[in-house]
Amino acid sequence: MKWFTAWRRRPWAGYAVVLAALAIIGVAYAGVSSSADRAQASDTKASAQDVAKGKELFNQACSSCHGANAEGTRTAPSLIGVGAASVDFQVGTGRMPAMNPGAQIPRKKPVFNEEQVRLLAAYVASLGGGPAVPSADQVDPKDGDSALGGKLFRANCAQCHNFAGSGGALTGGKYAPSLDKATPTQIYEAMITGPQAMPVFNDTTVTPAQKRAIIAYVTQTRDEPNPGGSGLGRVGPVAEGLVGWLVGIGFMVVAAMWLTARKPKKKTQND
């Protein structure tokens, strides 16, 4: 080992060791990256097919309003940068395509199936930017804290959607829709995309864990019983007071009409 000790003491030995280490790291990285590139190439090929099919659907059903390249028109806004989550929400809830655009586009039966919605979302996402469709773990109500979600919902959402998610009226002919039919994925997508009059709640404003907590609260509220009888849509005390007032006044009016409609008893000679 004397030759090794003598070689190690030479001034250029350190540089040789560094070069050898860099060469080994380079070879290892090349092997790993080539495998990753092959996997990515197959994914890109599949994604390109989805994008092409999505573009065909877009040209058939969406381009008349949003433009041939989704650049937007006077009728509809640009879709460049809105992301896959926005498309999945709007098309998945049947709001798009909109037959009669107005102040508020209502939820209706979807025109496209789940596969077609995915293809449309892939095409719009390929145009650049925007949030992606959340994963199943991100929207799982079982992993959310419903108590925390209730606090967050009352602080950020109840002003428009009502404390139980029943919806409510807004200005300019708009309204906050009921959340009864919204899936956990759609609730999450609405928070990150801000459809129509709704603001965007990004991960800085409401973290992913807090979004999951809100989803847990909304889905749990749907199953809660109504101890007082009919829930009256759970739109709050105004509706309950209105029903009580109308029923009470109505009963009094009917009673008054019944009393005044009675014919007086004829007097006899004995009277």
Side-chain angles (χ1 to χ4, degrees):
M1 298 294 290
K2 293 181 179 180
W3 63 271
F4 179 77
T5 303
W7 176 82
R8 187 182 60 181
R9 291 177 179 176
R10 293 183 181 181
W12 49 265
Y15 298 102
V17 173
V18 173
L19 289 174
L22 290 174
I24 294 172
I25 293 173
V27 171
Y29 177 78
V32 173
S33 62
S34 61
S35 300
D37 290 340
R38 286 193 296 270
Q40 184 176 5
S42 61
D43 292 342
T44 304
K45 183 178 180 181
S47 178
Q49 294 176 354
D50 291 345
V51 170
K53 293 179 181 178
K55 182 173 176 59
E56 292 180 5
L57 291 172
F58 182 88
N59 291 336
Q60 295 172 6
C62 313
S63 60
S64 59
C65 293
H66 290 283
N69 298 308
E71 73 278 11
T73 63
R74 293 181 179 179
T75 306
S78 170
L79 298 181
I80 299 175
V82 302
S86 180
V87 178
D88 187 69
F89 175 83
Q90 296 288 355
V91 182
T93 59
R95 289 178 168 87
M96 290 290 160
M99 298 297 109
N100 298 306
Q104 185 80 25
I105 300 175
R107 183 187 185 113
K108 60 182 183 296
K109 184 178 180 180
V111 176
F112 298 103
N113 58 37
E114 293 183 3
E115 177 64 14
Q116 291 172 325
V117 173
R118 186 184 67 82
L119 295 175
L120 283 170
Y123 168 67
V124 173
S126 70
L127 301 177
V133 177
S135 64
D137 293 336
Q138 287 179 287
V139 303
D140 190 354
K142 296 179 181 178
D143 296 333
D145 184 351
S146 59
L148 172 61
K151 295 180 181 179
L152 293 169
F153 188 89
R154 288 187 290 272
N156 299 283
C157 316
Q159 296 89 337
C160 297
H161 287 283
N162 172 275
F163 72 97
S166 300
L170 302 175
T171 59
K174 299 180 180 180
Y175 61 88
S178 171
L179 302 180
D180 289 344
K181 297 181 180 179
T183 65
T185 299
Q186 291 167 355
I187 297 173
Y188 196 105
E189 290 171 340
M191 286 189 279
I192 61 177
T193 61
Q196 301 187 88
M198 182 172 173
V200 176
F201 295 95
N202 55 34
D203 290 347
T204 303
T205 305
V206 180
T207 66
Q210 291 174 333
K211 290 183 175 71
R212 190 164 52 241
I214 292 174
I215 293 171
Y217 168 75
V218 172
T219 54
Q220 176 181 297
T221 302
R222 297 172 182 170
D223 300 328
E224 291 182 354
N226 297 305
S230 176
L232 300 176
R234 295 187 176 183
V235 293
V238 174
E240 297 170 359
L242 180 62
V243 171
W245 176 263
L246 292 178
V247 172
I249 293 296
F251 175 78
M252 293 176 64
V253 169
V254 172
M257 292 175 63
W258 179 75
L259 290 174
T260 55
R262 295 181 62 185
K263 295 181 179 180
K265 187 178 180 181
K266 293 182 179 181
K267 296 183 177 181
T268 63
Q269 292 181 354
N270 295 330
D271 294 337

